[in-house]
Amino acid sequence: MLKLVEQKSSQNLYDYYRENLVGEVPYYHEVSKTSWEESFFEDIDYDGDKKYSELVTYCSLTADGTVNGFIQFGRSNYGYDEAGEKSFEHSVGVIRQIHFLKNEKAVGAELLAVAIQYFQETEQNVSYAFFHALGMTCTGNHGKLHESMPEVAKLLLDNGCRVEHTNVYYAKKLDSAKELPAFSLSMKPAEKTENQTQMFTFYEGEQAVGQANVAFLPENAIAYLRWIFMLDEHQNKGFGTQALQLLFAFLIDEGMTELHTDTADNNMRAQHVYEKNGFEHLGITRSYMFS
């Protein structure tokens, strides 16, 4: 049967997260129940804005009360305009996440039907599933569906969804500090924000040539590289590798043991730089849109 989870605490849901998602998907991290609940039910983005104006969760329960699947969906507090900028005038309908046990496909279908009915009743013309930037903060905001869950992807594709964007997920172990060579680049970190992000600017001499932004995930030693870039006129000079090496050394000094990131599947330049610098390819992730 289905049960609406209205409370801001659910031990059964947390148990499902830890037993079925942590370790199976590279961006579902082990966190305390308190941190998970804040990220799951009342998520605030790195700008301090509430992610969802409405967010509901349904669970499928077995006879003994164990969760064997859940879905979370609602209306976002903001969206993104044609330029890719955050806009509070572009609220969208989102299936934030749907998960069910691999042998419980009927459960998945029943859960998805509840969300589709919601979108129809609220006249949501544009609806997404696994919208990247509206994922959970304790996953580094990575909201896409990992390829290790093909049963979820098939359910979405069979019910009117199409793939919107595809990304490659990477992670690097930060084992120990290494003596850096004499780089032509230097790096200046800004102060860490209240929302646990930090900006880094890279310089060649006195000239800024690029930047990076890192999120520090709660309660573990994992950092998430939100973005990194070199200015157009300073690309193809090896600066990307230098910038990453400077960043690795800084994060190791901060006690971080892993750095995660992702990039578009067609961004071959970024993939080459990441893999050249020791990142491990941990699979494909996708967002979906209802046609």
Side-chain angles (χ1 to χ4, degrees):
M1 65 177 181
L2 293 180
K3 178 182 177 182
L4 177 62
V5 180
E6 295 179 329
Q7 71 273 23
K8 301 306 180 186
S9 175
S10 173
Q11 185 64 48
N12 282 352
L13 266 174
Y14 178 60
D15 290 343
Y16 185 99
Y17 171 83
R18 296 182 69 246
E19 293 170 8
N20 297 288
L21 300 179
V22 174
E24 296 295 321
V25 178
Y27 45 85
Y28 283 127
H29 307 294
E30 183 75 46
V31 294
S32 72
K33 186 167 179 281
T34 298
S35 291
W36 173 83
E37 285 175 346
E38 291 176 356
S39 183
F40 192 92
F41 291 112
E42 294 288 346
D43 220 352
I44 304 296
D45 68 16
Y46 293 124
D47 297 323
D49 295 317
K50 188 175 181 179
K51 290 187 175 184
Y52 291 90
S53 58
E54 182 178 29
L55 191 63
V56 293
T57 305
Y58 282 86
C59 296
S60 174
L61 304 177
T62 62
D64 65 359
T66 302
V67 174
N68 62 356
F70 73 89
I71 189 169
Q72 189 176 51
F73 58 87
R75 184 191 297 269
S76 70
N77 191 37
Y78 54 79
Y80 293 86
D81 60 24
E82 294 180 356
E85 298 295 326
K86 184 194 291 186
S87 170
F88 290 90
E89 298 178 358
H90 288 74
S91 175
V92 294
V94 179
I95 295 175
R96 192 186 201 192
Q97 49 190 333
I98 173 173
H99 295 292
F100 50 91
L101 301 181
K102 293 184 185 297
N103 61 345
E104 297 283 3
K105 296 180 181 178
V107 167
E110 192 174 2
L111 290 166
L112 183 60
V114 174
I116 291 175
Q117 181 179 357
Y118 165 87
F119 292 136
Q120 291 172 343
E121 292 177 349
T122 57
E123 298 181 348
Q124 302 273 354
N125 294 323
V126 179
S127 302
Y128 296 85
F130 294 94
F131 194 111
H132 187 9
L134 294 172
M136 294 169 62
T137 302
C138 67
T139 69
N141 277 2
H142 193 95
K144 286 184 166 67
L145 177 68
H146 192 260
E147 65 179 351
S148 61
M149 298 183 170
E151 68 281 357
V152 179
K154 185 178 187 305
L155 177 66
L156 294 172
L157 294 172
D158 288 347
N159 285 274
C161 276
R162 59 178 174 83
V163 175
E164 184 204 19
H165 290 140
T166 302
N167 281 33
V168 181
Y169 195 90
Y170 285 102
K172 177 178 173 60
K173 299 289 187 182
L174 302 172
D175 296 324
S176 59
K178 297 179 181 179
E179 184 176 350
L180 293 174
F183 284 157
S184 60
L185 288 193
S186 61
M187 183 181 77
K188 181 178 180 181
E191 292 294 322
K192 190 182 295 184
T193 69
E194 293 182 0
N195 296 312
Q196 296 300 300
T197 66
Q198 193 165 15
M199 186 78 76
F200 300 85
T201 303
F202 305 102
Y203 293 88
E204 184 184 32
E206 299 297 320
Q207 184 178 14
V209 298
Q211 286 188 316
N213 189 273
V214 171
F216 294 83
L217 303 190
E219 302 182 344
N220 53 42
I222 297 174
Y224 200 99
L225 179 60
R226 299 175 66 201
W227 45 262
I228 185 170
F229 72 90
M230 296 294 123
L231 295 173
D232 289 346
E233 60 269 30
H234 297 289
Q235 294 185 7
N236 299 316
K237 297 180 179 180
F239 287 170
T241 288
Q242 291 189 35
L244 284 172
Q245 294 296 326
L246 290 167
L247 195 56
F248 297 159
F250 177 90
L251 293 173
I252 289 169
D253 285 344
E254 291 291 299
M256 299 296 103
T257 60
E258 295 181 27
L259 178 61
H260 291 221
T261 194
D262 65 276
T263 190
D265 68 330
N266 60 358
N267 190 345
M268 306 309 294
R269 173 182 288 179
Q271 292 172 42
H272 172 73
V273 173
Y274 290 141
E275 292 173 13
K276 176 182 177 181
N277 285 279
F279 281 85
E280 182 182 358
H281 185 308
L282 294 183
I284 298 298
T285 65
R286 297 180 177 91
S287 58
Y288 297 82
M289 176 185 286
F290 284 89
S291 302

